[in-house]
Amino acid sequence: GVPFPDANTASKIQAGLDIINALSEHYNVQAPVWVDNRESVTELPETDSQLINLIVSPAHPVLTAETAEVGALAMS
């Protein structure tokens, strides 16, 4: 019930993923999805698309990249 411009970051990311899921199902296409500000979201809607999470971590002052097994979530 909150207008999109007034929604918090997590709500905007979740709404965006819902839209991506609907378009992916309609066009029968899955593409990688970049999720910026991932530290702002505790739960994401399920998706068949590959998720690439961009997370700010004060424990890593230098850019690091981690990978996870399929079905796992890489968080540092």
Side-chain angles (χ1 to χ4, degrees), residues 13-14 17 20 32-39 41 44 50-55:
I13 291 171
Q14 291 168 337
L17 285 172
I20 289 169
V33 178
W34 294 75
V35 181
D36 197 2
N37 295 317
R38 178 59 177 87
E39 68 276 4
V41 186
L44 294 174
Q50 176 188 18
L51 292 179
I52 301 166
N53 296 297
L54 303 176
I55 302 170

Side-chain angles (χ1 to χ4, degrees), residues 10-70:
S11 295
K12 289 178 181 180
I13 291 171
Q14 291 168 337
L17 285 172
D18 281 339
I19 292 168
I20 289 169
N21 284 339
L23 292 172
S24 294
E25 184 177 327
H26 178 76
Y27 291 106
N28 196 29
V29 174
Q30 277 73 39
V33 178
W34 294 75
V35 181
D36 197 2
N37 295 317
R38 178 59 177 87
E39 68 276 4
S40 302
V41 186
T42 56
E43 291 186 31
L44 294 174
E46 288 196 30
T47 183
D48 290 333
S49 298
Q50 176 188 18
L51 292 179
I52 301 166
N53 296 297
L54 303 176
I55 302 170
V56 173
S57 170
H60 295 91
V62 176
L63 179 65
T64 58
E66 296 181 9
T67 60
E69 298 296 322
V70 174

